[in-house]
Amino acid sequence: MSTNGIDRRDFLIAGAAGLAGLSSAKNSLAAELIALPAESGGRQIAALNHGWLFSEKSNPGGTGKAFNDRAFKIVNLPHTNKLVPLNGFDEHDYMFVSVYRKHFRLPAIDPAKRVFVDFDGVMTAAKVYLNGEFVGENKGGYNDFSFEITKIVSRAGDNVLAVEVDSTERKDIPPFGDMVDYLTFGGIYREVRLRIVAATFIENVFARAENVLESDRSLRVGVGLSGQSGPDGHEITAELFDGGKTFARQSMKFAPNADGKTEEGSELTLDGLSGVELWDINKPKLYDLKVTLTISGKTVDSYATRIGFRKSEFTPEGFYLNGKVLKLRGLNRHQTFPWVGGAMPARVQRRDAWILRRELKCNIVRTSHYMQSPHFLDACDELGLLVLEEIPGWQHIGDQAWQDLAVRDLESMINRDRNRPSIVLWGVRINESRDNHDFYTRTNARAHELDPTRQTGGIRYRYDSEFLEDVFTMNEFGFPLRPPRHPRYLITETNGHMYPTKRFDNVMRVREHTHRHARFHDGVASDKGYAGGLAWCAFDYNTHDYFGSGDRICYHGVSDIFRIPKPAAGFYKSQCDPSEEIVIEPGFDWARGDENETFTDAFLCSNCEKLKLYIGDRLIAEVEPDRKTYPSLKYAPFRVNLHAGIGKGWDDLTIEGFIGGKLVKTRKMSGKGVERKFIVTADDDELAADGRDMTRIVFRVTDEFDNTLPFAFGAIQFTITNGEIVGDNPAVLIGGCGAVWVRSTMRKGPIRLVAKHPRHGAKTIEIKAV
């Protein structure tokens, strides 16, 4: 398994990405001279992700500038404080207080500039020190936070940024206080940056598209400032870009407040935007917005964000996007991965959005049960995947201080993500908690204050729960579904713990698992009062000992913990229009001994109009979708009795799909039960040579038609050059397949991974590190 650390000599020889120079630092790794990018309208942002020093032990004085940290391990961010096994581990192994230290020097900068350090996420509480001086503390593992270090940072000599990270499950911090059905892991698991800005700078920008469905579309741009403007006030310029080309531009002058401060309230409007394209799930058009601040004729700061023009609304008649009804079909997602928890870089986070939108064909995801990686949400914006984003928590509501942190989380979530077109609903309740009138009146009101453009929901499990939000969001685990209780009604969980399924379970359980997902979405489609439904869940995930299957994994996903689809994933895939992809996904493994040696109810998911099934060269069945069982689905599953055909001899199964009377797809499954292929694939063929970038490597044993054989076993041995394996080595096949991830080093050139199966030989994957 990867050590998640870097050899000290390798770091000094190769250098970190963006490393401009090294200087000696007493008792320490040399301090990195921060390479600041050219000023962008007055501000400079530099990543602080390389060359951190890490200790699992919180040493006395470990946050001091002169502390001897030579025994610390060199790591890059994102970083998990403890690599854990795939399953069967003790979650207390990562629950400790650790220390991270970063040595750096600033290049020459304007002495009037202000300096901030920005953290995207540290699990669970972080005390931040600079040069031994306490800077501030953040409680919470999912919110982003910043501290100003202007008066502490040395502008001429070495600096030591130290972070004491408490990764225990503290009862004073959401989501903790009682049981939690997921693991949080630990460490500085998201990115860190230095931000250098003018004395007065743009703190935030909120862009609100108006009259989106009319010809007089416009964009209201609200700008929050920090600092003082000049005696004549300040000027704000907003520019809208389409692929680098200016689409619209508007400037406006503002007078200073009585005390000279300009903290909030600067707002201007871009008019005449009839030519903008709308953001939609099938064509997610994005625009770049740049806001510039000018004081006394000098540009002092600029702020860039991406936006999309769209109108979303939950109504009694369902969910509408850009004036058209859209039945929401989605899954819940946990942000954690095997071995490293949440500490995956941008590429891997983005891949999850791709899997949900392109592989599983979902149109919405819920970020259960917390704010998730900005990289994941970036991909949702780009791919047209709608998002329900919610605050951290699981059933428990703590005391007043705990509730204050939950409101802080809400504010952080909305301020960070309110410009994203993908987000259509804010979750303002603690997942499945009991009613708390005062608390939830407060969260709902604060959400509307920060973002009046979006509706709110709150995930509950009580059908008679008090309704304070805009949308009644309900976890519904029974069937048939209860009728919508309120005019705006969205089901946010189903299945999950009611029917956990492993990919190597017997064919009857696998079939039933698939059926239950299809049954749920058929029920949702039966009534316009259901805006849609999100099932539990997309991917298997690690959890506490009191949940899951006793091995620290909840097998609730339609895909496994490696993001490899189970048969139930085929149902979601089959719900796309055939113009996007023609789908034939059997809900079974073609093995004669399963289901008491019969296939009286074979289950197939497809968006074809008709299927023909052959055993060998004998036509056994010609079937249409089962609209009796699934009357409301546009693409209902197929169910067919193959028993009579099997009785005349076992052979390969051929499935032909027809649309408009024409054969459009053929799927074959071997009847031999023999392992024929060892297939190894990488999600990406190119990585950044930065010591951080990663990609998934999937390995499978299949029949001659590339169908994964769920009862194939074996240990896969890996060797790698110019890269690092994150995962088990050797790795075992689980349900005929598995995955590891490969991390780049800081050396350019090919990364070569050789995967060797004990019977089927070796396969080589080559990835460019650039």
Side-chain angles (χ1 to χ4, degrees), residues 179-239:
M179 294 191 299
V180 178
D181 178 23
Y182 53 93
L183 298 184
T184 53
F185 300 95
I188 305 180
Y189 76 105
R190 291 179 183 166
E191 285 91 350
V192 180
R193 291 173 298 280
L194 278 181
R195 175 166 45 101
I196 300 172
V197 293
T200 300
F201 67 94
I202 300 170
E203 185 112 65
N204 58 72
V205 170
F206 181 25
R208 289 180 267 183
E210 297 188 331
N211 302 320
V212 170
L213 303 184
E214 309 297 330
S215 60
D216 58 339
R217 294 170 188 154
S218 61
L219 185 70
R220 287 176 61 191
V221 182
V223 183
L225 304 180
S226 175
Q228 295 184 334
S229 64
D232 299 325
H234 61 280
E235 184 177 37
I236 297 290
T237 300
E239 295 177 276

Side-chain angles (χ1 to χ4, degrees), residues 105 116 120 211 223 276 341 392 514 526 680 731:
R105 291 189 299 123
F116 292 79
D120 282 346
N211 302 320
V223 183
V276 299
T514 309
S526 69
V680 183

